[in-house]
Amino acid sequence: MDKIYVVIVTHNAMYWLEDCIISIKKSTVSVNVIVVDNLSFDTTLNYLKENHPDIIVIKQNENLGFGAANNIGMRYALSMNADAVFLLNQDTKIDQDTVEKLLYLSDKFSDYGILSPLQLDYSGQFLEECFYYFVTNYPNNSFISDAILGRPLEEVYQVPFVQAAAWFIPKRTLKIVGGFDPIFFHYGEDNNYCHRVIFHGLKIGVTPLVRIQHDSTAQLSEKKPLFSPDYFKDFELSIKLKYANVLMQYNYSDIKLEIIRNLKSALKSLIKINIRHCSGYLKKAKILQKNHKKIMLSRKINILKQENYL
C-alpha cells in the first residue's frame, strides 16, 4: 500500500482547520497528516492536540514562510519512506476521492512531477480566482476549449504552472527536484519550483477528475506606486523569479548589466534634480547587488538532480 503524507503549513489556521482536517480524514485512501505550524498564536495547536492527537505536528518557533515550512514536512515524510506527498493549504477542503484519484493518476502518468486537482473557491461554485487566471492564460489551452465546447475531458492536462495550494508530488519528483528554494519566503516559490520540474524533464498537470475548495485571499498582483515599499518588495521578488529561472540562460553579467542600467538612470535623475527617482534607482541597484550571489548559488544548486533543500 502506498504511503501518502498530506503536508499542511499552518499559521493561525483555526478559521479553516476543522473543515480541512475532517475532509482529509474522510479520504477513501489512508493518509498520514503532517502539520508544520509557523508560530500560530490562535488555538490551532490546542485544537490539534485535543482533537487530532494522531496528526504529526512540527511546531516552529518562528514563521519560516511557505516554502521552508513545507520543506520540513516533506523531509519528515521522506524519512518515513513516503511514496508521495500532498501539499495542501490550510484554507482548503477536499473531496473524499481526491487523494485516491491523484494517486491513481500519478501512477498512470509517471512523467508528471506535479498534479493538481481543480481549485474551486470555498463555495465550490466557481474556479478560484488565481487558478482561473492561470489555467485560462496558456496558449492552445485544450482544457478550457474542451470544457466550453463540450468535448470529452482528458484525465490530465499539461500546464507550465499551477499554484501550490494543492500539489500531489510523488517521491520520484522529490528525489530529482528536491524542495522549495529558500531564497523565496512567501510567493514565488511555486513558480520557481515549476521551472525546476520542467527543467528536469518532468511535466505539471491539472486534472478535472478531482477538486478542492480553496478560501484564497490571494489576488492577482496590481502595479504598485513607483518606488513605494511594496514596489521594492515586488521588484526583489521579480528579479529572483527572473534570474533564478533555470529554464533561462542567465549569469552574473546579466544582473550586472541591470545594475548598470539602474545606476545610469539614477545619474540622469540626479542631473534633472529628481532626488526621489535618483534614490529609487539606486535602491534597485542595491537590491540587485544584494541578491546576486544567492541567485547564482540557487541556479548552481537547482540544475542538479538531487533532494535539494530536503
Side-chain angles (χ1 to χ4, degrees), residues 16-224:
W16 310 276
L17 194 58
E18 186 170 14
D19 283 348
C20 182
I21 297 298
I22 289 174
S23 74
I24 294 168
K25 289 198 168 184
K26 290 180 179 178
S27 178
T28 53
V29 294
S30 177
V31 298
N32 304 280
V33 182
I34 302 170
V35 169
V36 182
D37 186 74
N38 266 340
L39 195 61
S40 290
F41 48 82
D42 65 356
T43 57
T44 292
L45 292 172
N46 285 338
Y47 167 79
L48 291 170
K49 181 179 179 180
E50 293 173 6
N51 297 279
H52 302 283
D54 56 316
I55 288 178
I56 302 151
V57 178
I58 306 176
K59 180 182 177 182
Q60 303 304 303
N61 294 320
E62 60 179 313
N63 188 340
L64 298 177
F66 180 83
N70 266 301
N71 286 351
I72 290 171
M74 290 189 284
R75 186 181 305 125
Y76 181 91
L78 285 176
S79 74
M80 301 302 292
N81 299 312
D83 295 296
V85 296
F86 185 30
L87 307 187
L88 199 60
N89 276 19
Q90 65 181 19
D91 52 0
T92 61
K93 50 188 175 182
I94 67 174
D95 290 345
Q96 287 182 311
D97 61 351
T98 296
V99 178
E100 181 181 5
K101 287 183 176 176
L102 287 169
L103 175 60
Y104 158 76
L105 292 169
S106 183
D107 288 340
K108 182 175 180 179
F109 298 96
S110 59
D111 52 343
Y112 277 80
I114 298 171
L115 285 174
S116 169
L118 292 182
Q119 298 183 23
L120 309 184
D121 70 359
Y122 214 51
S123 73
Q125 300 300 307
F126 304 96
L127 290 178
E128 190 274 333
E129 181 180 356
C130 291
F131 180 82
Y132 172 83
Y133 173 82
F134 291 124
V135 299
T136 58
N137 278 273
Y138 303 135
N140 304 315
N141 190 325
S142 58
F143 168 46
I144 298 300
S145 297
D146 288 350
I148 292 176
L149 298 176
R151 295 194 290 252
L153 295 178
E154 298 177 16
E155 289 182 303
V156 175
Y157 289 87
Q158 185 178 356
V159 295
F161 170 79
V162 61
Q163 66 206 66
W167 277 6
F168 191 90
I169 308 176
K171 180 169 65 175
R172 59 182 176 270
T173 301
L174 300 179
K175 293 290 185 179
I176 294 171
V177 182
F180 290 106
D181 192 321
I183 69 170
F184 298 94
F185 176 75
H186 191 56
Y187 298 125
E189 59 280 287
D190 49 359
N191 303 76
N192 175 267
Y193 197 88
C194 287
H195 297 159
R196 292 157 54 200
V197 166
I198 295 169
F199 176 83
H200 287 296
L202 299 171
K203 298 177 182 177
I204 301 158
V206 169
T207 173
L209 300 186
V210 290
R211 65 181 196 172
I212 64 154
Q213 292 166 245
H214 184 197
D215 192 19
S216 173
T217 56
Q219 296 180 336
L220 299 175
S221 180
E222 297 179 355
K223 191 173 182 179
K224 305 300 190 299

